[in-house]
Amino acid sequence: MRRLAAILVILWGIPALEAEEVFAAEEVFYVAPTGDDQWSGRTTIPASGGNGPFATVERAVEAARAAKIKVILLAGGHYQLTRTLILTAEDKGLRIAAIPGERPVLSGGEPVGGFKAEAGGVFAAPLDQEPGLDVTVAGVRLQAARSGDYRPDDPTRSGWFIAAPAKGEGDKRRIRFAAGAVDPRWAQAGVRVQALDRDRMADDIIGIQRIDVASQTLTLERDAWYALREGSTFRLLGHPDFLKHPGQFAWRANDKRLLVLPADPASFARGGMVEVARLTPLVRLNGVTAVTMEGLAFEDVPYSGMAIRIEGGGDNRIINNRFNAVGEAVQISGSTGNELRGNVMEHLGQNGIDVKPGSHGTRILANTIRGVGEVRLFSAGVFVSGSNKTEISHNDIAHAARYGVSLKNWNPETINRDSVIAYNRIRDTARETADAGAIEMLGRSDADTRTVIRYNDIRQTGGLATDAAGRWLERYKGFGVYLDDLTNGVTVEDNFLMDTGWAGVFIHGGDGNKVRNNIAVLMTGKSRFVRLEWVPKAGAAGLLHDNTIAHNLVLQRVPMKNVIESLTGGQPLVEANIIDRFGQDGAKPARDSPGRKTSARASAQAPGEDGSPYFIDPARDDFRLRPTSPARAAGIEDLPWSRIGPKGYAAQ
């Protein structure tokens, strides 16, 4: 293009900038919120002769197909999508991107206006169709008003009803409630029940069929995932009776009004932009290859939907985009070789990235994923099933209701092999559920996964459940790396694990796993570095064989009996692990585990100035190894701290 533009400058005397614009116009279509689909799409601003940008991306795609042009650039502003943009095989090689320095926003929301003030700081506007659970004000996700004793200062434990005793082991369709807890008037359109089993492994969001006060029974419109037995938790969402806290919304069914209790009433009264999420997906790549979507923003997608869905095809790139208040950012199904890089995904109704079976060779690199599972709690920053050679590297994942990264193998169709999970920073997971890992793998097919989990910085794994009496169990069944149900052939090496609930690494019935050269910091007396346990329901396959735990450095901040705990966990090879009892005056060396061979070293002496001979400054959470650390002499290597997270990818 520049060469041809130079010819125009020489032969025709056209200024160089204008010459480049001539050829740029032939190679690019432009879209702007102020555009018109009757214009040419060849310029960024309106000009004479019908020149000017298109108004919709759909029109630009249509024109690009006809003209064989492969670049569409969007100006900044708000684009309201009323139907899914579908790209097909004829769009091979198409690039849809933002004009440099601008931020176009593609929204699947229905704008709602005409709000009028009511009592108690509430604003109401007409809305014919109930809003679901996804409403935003000026791009900020609101919370569906919730029942019970909900308090914003305790958002995870408050607001839940406790299921009352019932016959048998509970029911998937019916919940027994305490006398007076549930009002039958709440069984109306727009109100949903969110229910979790007692171990809080999965939540269901379901409509109400009926509420029977006489039998103290709430009947759901369909079955829940697990039986809702005594001590299970449930709450109702979206009824006006629950609208008590700023930042919430509800729907009044009798006069069809959306009710909003804004955090800033004065600002809202001046014209807060309210969107009800309706459309999913916003963009669908259907059997297409080599498409790039770059620099765009996606908003207002229902929690059960996704912003971008990739089906079939492959080698597409989703890079440097922003996703806010969507259900899932990107879902991939049966598509190979795709790359998702440098995206920011925030305030997600469910997952960040969902990789479904047949999506081999997916690369998930340097993304920032925060606020995972803000509506549906069964969620992950990255979810993978039935896909091989997945790379999940250099991501920053934080504030997840359940998993940071989850690789699920439920059956022969969902086996995952040859995955690499490396250089990720994962914080604050299992906030509202239990039986969860910051990095979790499920292996029910008992297959050799050949997976590597390496160079990850994992901290603050929680775990939340209830007992039969409805008492909260905190830090319950939460793990840093969770190799669940017969997960085999995983190498867990060179990771940092701190404050990881029950254990830094949990091997549950798996074989041939290697845990080596990790650094772990144990914060409570109930924490363990490694926990091993068989899976009785799997029979002989659930016994553990050939696991190795070697050359790890474990810092105990509180006294404990063992750092490695084996509950019918076979005979793992345990050797050359070092235990640093920093801050435990008078601590005695303890046997770190059962095993075929144990040569652990326990040290509470020869500390540095801050009390530890191993780390530079553990009191300030600086866990780099000292140059003279005894761990180095024992063959334990320091972690590549500067390469962890998105900045580490950029610095490569």
Side-chain angles (χ1 to χ4, degrees):
M1 183 184 78
R2 292 183 180 274
R3 196 175 298 171
L4 293 174
I7 293 174
L8 287 182
V9 173
I10 296 171
L11 296 181
W12 298 346
I14 296 176
L17 182 59
E18 290 184 15
E20 289 193 16
E21 288 178 347
V22 169
F23 280 93
E26 292 185 357
E27 297 174 354
V28 178
F29 281 117
Y30 294 97
V31 186
T34 55
D36 190 319
D37 280 350
Q38 301 303 311
W39 291 345
S40 68
R42 297 301 182 90
T43 61
T44 57
I45 57 176
S48 60
N51 281 324
F54 292 131
T56 67
V57 185
E58 190 174 44
R59 174 69 183 95
V61 170
E62 179 185 78
R65 288 169 178 167
K68 307 299 182 184
I69 287 175
K70 294 300 182 182
V71 179
I72 296 172
L73 297 181
L74 278 63
H78 196 80
Y79 297 83
Q80 206 82 40
L81 303 187
T82 57
R83 60 184 179 185
T84 299
L85 174 67
I86 301 176
L87 304 180
T88 61
E90 62 184 314
D91 301 308
K92 179 180 179 180
L94 181 64
R95 177 173 178 258
I96 302 177
I99 292 174
E102 301 197 25
R103 179 64 76 180
V105 178
L106 278 62
S107 170
E110 173 190 353
V112 181
F115 281 91
K116 294 183 179 180
E118 295 190 350
V122 172
F123 289 80
L127 185 67
D128 287 339
Q129 181 184 351
E130 59 98 355
L133 299 176
D134 299 273
V135 176
T136 61
V137 173
V140 177
R141 181 189 286 279
L142 300 184
Q143 181 187 78
R146 47 205 55 194
S147 60
D149 61 347
Y150 175 76
R151 303 189 313 278
D153 63 339
D154 187 10
T156 59
R157 296 179 302 174
S158 66
W160 295 95
F161 294 122
I162 305 298
K167 293 181 180 180
E169 287 298 312
D171 193 301
K172 292 185 177 182
R173 183 68 66 93
R174 296 169 183 82
I175 308 172
R176 286 262 300 153
F177 56 82
V182 179
D183 191 322
R185 294 175 300 174
W186 295 343
Q188 68 173 44
V191 177
R192 290 167 173 78
V193 176
Q194 185 170 29
L196 291 102
D197 58 288
R198 205 158 70 200
D199 284 339
R200 293 177 75 87
M201 292 190 292
D203 61 318
D204 293 277
I205 298 176
I206 307 174
I208 303 171
Q209 187 178 96
R210 65 178 176 273
I211 297 173
D212 187 335
V213 175
S215 64
Q216 297 171 212
T217 303
L218 186 155
T219 303
L220 304 172
E221 290 181 340
R222 59 174 174 83
D223 284 357
W225 194 334
Y226 293 102
L228 300 169
R229 52 187 172 153
E230 179 183 6
S232 297
T233 48
F234 69 100
R235 62 188 176 192
L236 281 67
L237 304 173
H239 193 281
D241 286 357
F242 314 147
L243 190 58
K244 301 174 183 177
H245 302 284
Q248 293 185 332
F249 73 91
W251 191 61
R252 196 162 59 208
N254 60 357
D255 63 351
K256 295 187 176 181
R257 290 290 189 274
L258 176 65
L259 309 180
V260 173
L261 185 55
D264 185 349
S267 175
F268 186 85
R270 290 193 296 269
M273 184 176 179
V274 178
E275 300 268 356
V276 175
R278 298 296 193 194
L279 181 65
T280 179
L282 303 184
V283 180
R284 180 181 171 198
L285 278 59
N286 186 15
V288 67
T289 58
V291 162
T292 297
M293 306 201 75
E294 181 175 7
L296 310 174
F298 300 86
E299 295 186 351
D300 302 310
V301 175
Y303 80 90
S304 56
M306 70 293 303
I308 298 175
R309 178 169 169 80
I310 303 174
E311 300 172 86
D315 299 321
N316 302 293
R317 299 197 309 158
I318 310 298
I319 58 176
N320 299 329
N321 302 286
R322 181 175 180 268
F323 300 83
N324 176 63
V326 301
E328 295 179 339
V330 182
Q331 184 182 100
I332 306 173
S333 181
S335 181
T336 60
N338 297 288
E339 179 178 299
L340 287 70
R341 172 169 50 84
N343 302 285
V344 175
M345 306 172 182
E346 300 177 299
H347 303 297
L348 301 158
Q350 192 165 350
N351 306 309
I353 299 166
D354 188 0
V355 182
K356 292 189 174 297
S359 303
H360 307 304
T362 304
R363 302 178 71 217
I364 300 170
L365 309 172
N367 302 283
T368 298
I369 307 174
R370 295 179 179 274
V372 179
E374 290 191 341
V375 180
R376 178 138 196 246
L377 308 182
F378 184 79
S379 57
V382 179
F383 232 126
V384 180
S385 63
S387 298
N388 300 329
K389 297 185 177 179
T390 304
E391 180 183 357
I392 305 168
S393 298
H394 295 283
N395 302 284
D396 189 330
I397 303 172
H399 314 311
R402 196 165 192 199
Y403 308 112
V405 175
S406 178
L407 275 61
K408 293 291 192 187
N409 165 214
W410 289 288
N411 51 48
E413 289 71 42
T414 55
I415 295 173
N416 307 285
R417 286 192 172 97
D418 301 307
S419 301
V420 175
I421 306 171
Y423 298 106
N424 301 288
R425 182 182 296 111
I426 306 177
R427 299 281 197 281
D428 192 19
T429 57
R431 292 165 59 90
E432 300 188 59
T433 61
D435 196 45
I439 297 174
E440 182 257 6
M441 295 181 64
L442 186 72
R444 290 183 180 164
S445 294
D446 198 22
D448 183 1
T449 69
R450 302 189 297 267
T451 294
V452 176
I453 299 174
R454 169 189 293 150
Y455 305 136
N456 300 285
D457 184 342
I458 298 171
R459 309 188 193 202
Q460 300 167 346
T461 302
L464 187 67
T466 50
D467 63 13
R471 292 183 293 259
W472 290 101
L473 306 174
E474 298 189 15
R475 300 180 60 81
Y476 181 82
K477 291 187 180 180
F479 308 97
V481 176
Y482 185 7
L483 308 182
D484 193 15
D485 280 7
L486 318 183
T487 296
N488 305 327
V490 182
T491 298
V492 182
E493 64 182 3
D494 300 292
N495 301 283
F496 180 77
L497 304 153
M498 178 176 175
D499 193 15
T500 50
W502 273 15
V505 180
F506 180 27
I507 303 174
H508 192 206
D511 304 331
N513 300 295
K514 298 178 177 61
V515 181
R516 61 193 185 199
N517 206 76
N518 300 280
I519 298 174
V521 181
L522 307 183
M523 307 290 288
T524 73
K526 295 182 179 180
S527 298
R528 299 292 182 264
F529 167 48
V530 178
R531 176 187 174 105
L532 304 101
E533 187 174 343
W534 74 316
V535 181
K537 63 184 179 183
L543 300 173
L544 291 86
H545 304 281
D546 300 321
N547 295 295
T548 300
I549 305 164
H551 294 278
N552 301 282
L553 174 56
V554 182
L555 184 152
Q556 294 179 224
R557 283 191 156 161
V558 296
M560 63 188 64
K561 183 178 180 181
N562 297 316
V563 299
I564 299 175
E565 184 173 52
S566 179
L567 304 173
T568 61
Q571 292 293 315
L573 174 63
V574 180
E575 63 179 2
N577 300 292
I578 297 177
I579 304 169
D580 180 10
R581 291 177 171 80
F582 171 58
Q584 298 181 44
D585 294 336
K588 296 180 180 180
R591 184 168 180 246
D592 71 334
S593 72
R596 285 179 277 144
K597 180 179 179 182
T598 302
S599 55
R601 303 178 183 183
S603 174
Q605 68 279 355
E609 292 180 2
D610 61 0
S612 171
Y614 297 100
F615 305 104
I616 287 180
D617 194 352
R620 292 179 174 82
D621 288 347
D622 186 346
F623 294 99
R624 292 174 297 166
L625 296 183
R626 292 176 178 274
T628 58
S629 173
R632 294 181 184 273
I636 296 175
E637 300 176 1
D638 205 356
L639 274 60
W641 298 98
S642 64
R643 295 185 60 193
I644 296 173
K647 289 183 179 179
Y649 180 84
Q652 291 186 119

